[in-house]
Amino acid sequence: FTLDPQLGEFVLTHENMRIPERGNIYSCNESNSIGWGEDLLRYLQSLKSGNNASKKRYAHRYIGSMVGDIHRTLLYGGIFWYPEDTVGHPSGNLQLLYKAMPLGYVIHQAGGKCTNGKKSLMEVTPGAVHMRSPCFMGSPEDMDEMMEYVKHEEKV
């Protein structure tokens, strides 16, 4: 649904929304990469260099607003992540219950995948209302490739 300012109502603009199987955009706060694991840094390098499954260099787009970044990912495909890091966010930085899980659910319903870096966000049991979590979400082929670099406990 999209807000039509002339009508003052939300109008259905994308019926049966499906995320593309693969995109060419990655979205993350790369300034935190100093604390990321080597596996994720290798994946990031593969996207930047074009040494990945698609053999294409990915563009980096990061708005800094998760809703905006996920909206673009939903329309054009690609991958969004906000992982844990060893510098400032050892448990991730996005609240699980009211940021990561709801938007992960939207991506999941559109045919994409979402994880906390170990298992599906849809399988995580929150430990507290404001619990923070790493999150990765996006097109299924991009997520599958990321999971070849960042080993998960279970297949998503």
Side-chain angles (χ1 to χ4, degrees):
F1 288 87
T2 305
L3 177 63
D4 183 331
Q6 293 177 340
L7 294 175
E9 296 179 6
F10 286 91
V11 179
L12 180 62
T13 54
H14 296 88
E15 192 169 345
N16 192 25
M17 175 67 81
R18 305 304 295 167
I19 191 168
E21 290 295 311
R22 181 178 286 279
N24 65 352
I25 299 170
Y26 71 95
S27 181
C28 62
N29 185 348
E30 216 169 323
S31 68
N32 292 328
S33 65
I34 191 169
W36 294 350
E38 288 298 319
D39 51 357
L40 184 54
L41 291 173
R42 280 194 318 277
Y43 176 63
L44 175 62
Q45 186 59 36
S46 78
L47 296 179
K48 290 172 146 185
S49 68
N51 292 325
N52 55 57
S54 70
K55 303 296 182 207
K56 295 180 181 174
R57 293 178 62 206
Y58 277 46
H60 179 234
R61 300 284 181 268
Y62 181 70
I63 299 169
S65 165
M66 186 180 185
V67 171
D69 285 317
I70 295 303
H71 179 258
R72 183 193 51 248
T73 302
L74 195 55
L75 292 176
Y76 303 112
I79 186 168
F80 169 91
W81 71 79
Y82 209 119
E84 74 253 353
D85 66 71
T86 59
V87 177
H89 311 103
S91 299
N93 194 38
L94 296 175
Q95 290 82 4
L96 180 65
L97 275 176
Y98 47 91
K99 289 183 183 174
M101 283 179 114
L103 290 172
Y105 178 79
V106 169
I107 291 284
H108 179 75
Q109 290 300 305
K113 295 184 179 184
C114 58
T115 81
N116 67 356
K118 298 197 181 340
K119 63 183 182 178
S120 170
L121 282 174
M122 302 295 98
E123 302 299 321
V124 175
T125 302
V129 173
H130 303 294
M131 179 178 154
R132 293 177 187 265
S133 173
C135 79
F136 300 79
M137 56 186 73
S139 295
E141 290 180 12
D142 288 309
M143 289 294 294
D144 288 344
E145 184 173 358
M146 178 275 296
M147 288 184 279
E148 291 175 16
Y149 287 84
V150 180
K151 297 301 179 203
H152 283 60
E153 295 170 356
E154 58 189 53
K155 187 168 173 69
V156 176

